[in-house]
Amino acid sequence: MAQLLEGARNLGWVLLNSFLRFIFVFINNCVAIPSYCLYCILLQPLRVMDSRTFWLIEGIMFKWMLAMVSQWGWVAGYTVMEWGDDVRPLSEEEAMVIVNHQATGDVCTLMMCLQDKGTGKAYRDKQLIYLKDHLDRYYHSRDRKWIVLFPEGGFLRKRRETSQAFAKKNSLPHLTHVTLPRLGATQVILKTLGPQQENGCLGTEASTVHRSQSGSKPKGLQWVVDVTIAYSKARPMDIQTWIFGYRPPTVTHVHYRVYPIKEVPVETKPLTDWLYQRFVEKEDLLAHFYETGAFPPPKGQKEAVSRAMTLDPVQLCFIQFLAFASGYLWYSVLQYFYCRLF
C-alpha cells in the first residue's frame, strides 16, 4: 500500500510539473515570438540604411530565442557533454554542420550547444533549386556563419529499414545507429557557399593566401563540422520531453570532428564517398559509445576527454526578463494605439 501511495505521489508530481512547465513554455512563446517579430518590423528602416547592423541585431535576438529553448531542457536537468574537437574557435568562421538525426530533440540539443559558439543559424530536385536561390540571396548578405544540415533526410527510426535495404542492394555498409546520407542539399550548399573550387575541391591554402595578400577577406565556407549526437541508453529525446520535462535528468553526448573545406570534394561521386565515410565513422562512434558509455579517444591518444557544456543562469534570467518585459511593452503600445483608433 505504501509503495502504491508513493507511486501515486510521484506520478502526481510529474503531472503537476509537466503542466506548470507547459504553461510557462506557452506564455514564453506568446511573449517572445511576437516581440521578436515586432522588433524586426520596427527595425526595418535600419535594414534599409545599414543592413549589416540590422542583421547583427537580428542574429543576437535570434540567439536569445534559442537560449530560451535551451533553458527548457536545462532547468529539467537535460545537459550536454561535449567530446572531440573544440569548435568554439570556429564560431565566427563560416562552416557547414552535418548532424545525425534521431528525433526532434536533436534540434533542441543543437540550440543548447550553439549558445557559446557564435550566432550561427540553422537552415529533392525542385526543392534544391529553392535552397540554392535562398543561399544566393540571403546567406552572405546576412553575415551568417554556420549552416546546419541533417543529411539523412529524416529520423533514424523512420529511415533505418529503407536505408539498410538500399545499402544491401548497392553493396554499401550496413548501418544501425545512423542511416545513409542523401547528397543533394550537401552538394548544393558546398557549391553555392564554398570558396573557389580547385581540382574538384573547395578552396586551397594557396587561394586563401592569395586573397589575404590582395587585402580581401576570404569568403565562403571554411570548415565542415561533423556532429554526432548520442543519447543515454540509445533513447532519443523529442521536443515534447524538453517541454514537459517528464523524463529524469539525463546527459546528451555530442561529439565534434572538424574538416578544413579544402579536404572536401564537390563532384558527385567523390562527395558521395566522402559523405558515406563520415556516416560510417558516426556508426563506429555510436557503437563504441553505446557499448562503453564514452566516445573513443582520438588517434594517437589513450583517453577521450569530455567537456560539460554549461549555460550561464544569470544570462538566461536576463534574457527571460527581457522577453517578458518586451511582451508587456508591446502589449501596452498596441493597446494604446487600439484605444486611440477605436
Side-chain angles (χ1 to χ4, degrees):
M1 186 64 180
Q3 291 181 344
L4 184 62
L5 289 175
E6 183 65 21
R9 187 180 297 110
N10 291 337
L11 177 60
W13 165 246
V14 169
L15 293 176
L16 176 61
N17 180 62
S18 297
F19 175 75
L20 294 175
R21 283 177 58 88
F22 174 77
I23 294 298
F24 173 77
V25 170
F26 178 78
I27 296 174
N28 195 180
N29 281 320
C30 286
V31 298
I33 295 176
S35 296
Y36 165 82
C37 295
L38 289 167
Y39 278 128
C40 286
I41 294 173
L42 182 67
L43 291 171
Q44 286 306 301
L46 177 62
R47 182 179 180 180
V48 175
M49 295 182 293
D50 186 355
S51 62
R52 185 177 181 86
T53 301
F54 171 84
W55 289 115
L56 174 64
I57 296 171
E58 188 275 341
I60 294 173
M61 291 193 299
F62 187 84
K63 185 177 180 179
W64 288 354
M65 298 275 286
L66 300 188
M68 283 184 262
V69 177
S70 304
Q71 178 184 265
W72 303 347
W74 185 70
V75 297
Y78 305 148
T79 57
V80 170
M81 190 71 69
E82 298 181 311
W83 303 72
D85 295 336
D86 184 2
V87 298
R88 286 172 296 182
L90 312 180
S91 62
E92 293 306 317
E93 298 188 34
E94 295 183 33
M96 181 179 72
V97 182
I98 56 175
V99 194
N100 60 312
H101 207 9
Q102 302 179 63
T104 51
D106 298 342
V107 177
C108 299
T109 298
L110 284 175
M111 288 181 179
M112 181 178 288
C113 292
L114 290 173
Q115 284 307 301
D116 63 346
K117 300 177 183 67
T119 54
K121 201 169 184 179
Y123 283 96
R124 263 166 169 269
D125 297 339
K126 194 171 182 179
Q127 292 300 317
L128 295 179
I129 295 174
Y130 290 151
L131 173 62
K132 183 182 185 305
D133 181 66
H134 178 82
L135 295 172
D136 285 331
R137 288 172 178 266
Y138 303 120
Y139 185 79
H140 287 303
S141 66
R142 298 182 181 183
D143 197 28
R144 299 310 184 201
K145 301 302 181 183
W146 288 15
I147 183 166
V148 179
L149 177 66
F150 295 96
E152 291 165 292
F155 298 140
L156 174 64
R157 69 179 187 277
K158 294 183 177 181
R159 292 205 63 240
R160 179 159 40 201
E161 186 176 344
T162 56
S163 175
Q164 290 175 346
F166 178 83
K168 183 177 181 180
K169 181 179 178 181
N170 293 275
S171 300
L172 295 169
H174 179 87
L175 305 176
T176 301
H177 305 299
V178 295
T179 64
L180 288 171
R182 291 170 173 169
L183 178 68
T186 305
Q187 190 173 41
V188 167
I189 292 170
L190 289 173
K191 286 189 173 183
T192 306
L193 302 181
Q196 181 180 357
Q197 297 181 27
E198 298 183 14
N199 300 321
C201 293
L202 288 164
T204 63
E205 291 181 355
S207 63
T208 301
V209 170
H210 175 74
R211 285 193 300 269
S212 298
Q213 291 175 345
S214 65
S216 60
K217 180 183 176 181
K219 294 182 179 180
L221 297 175
Q222 301 300 306
W223 308 93
V224 172
V225 180
D226 186 5
V227 178
T228 303
I229 299 177
Y231 292 99
S232 178
K233 301 180 181 179
R235 292 180 57 204
M237 295 178 63
D238 51 30
I239 195 169
Q240 295 95 317
T241 306
W242 278 67
I243 293 174
F244 292 102
Y246 46 75
R247 185 182 294 188
T250 186
V251 179
T252 300
H253 297 260
V254 179
H255 183 277
Y256 303 103
R257 187 173 179 185
V258 174
Y259 297 88
I261 201 68
K262 65 180 181 178
E263 297 180 4
V264 183
V266 293
E267 299 307 319
T268 300
K269 182 59 169 66
L271 178 57
T272 300
D273 294 340
W274 185 89
L275 199 57
Y276 280 179
Q277 185 58 37
R278 301 290 74 75
F279 277 77
V280 170
E281 291 175 358
K282 287 179 181 290
E283 176 77 12
D284 295 339
L285 285 171
L286 290 169
H288 189 281
F289 177 85
Y290 293 137
E291 181 180 348
T292 66
F295 284 112
K299 290 183 180 180
Q301 298 184 19
K302 296 182 179 180
E303 185 178 356
V305 178
S306 61
R307 308 172 293 275
M309 194 273 160
T310 59
L311 299 177
D312 184 351
V314 175
Q315 182 186 40
L316 291 178
C317 290
F318 173 72
I319 292 171
Q320 200 64 67
F321 170 78
L322 282 182
F324 284 103
S326 296
Y328 178 76
L329 171 66
W330 284 112
Y331 172 79
S332 300
V333 170
L334 294 175
Q335 184 185 45
Y336 171 80
F337 282 106
Y338 179 83
C339 293
R340 296 284 292 182
L341 293 174
F342 303 101

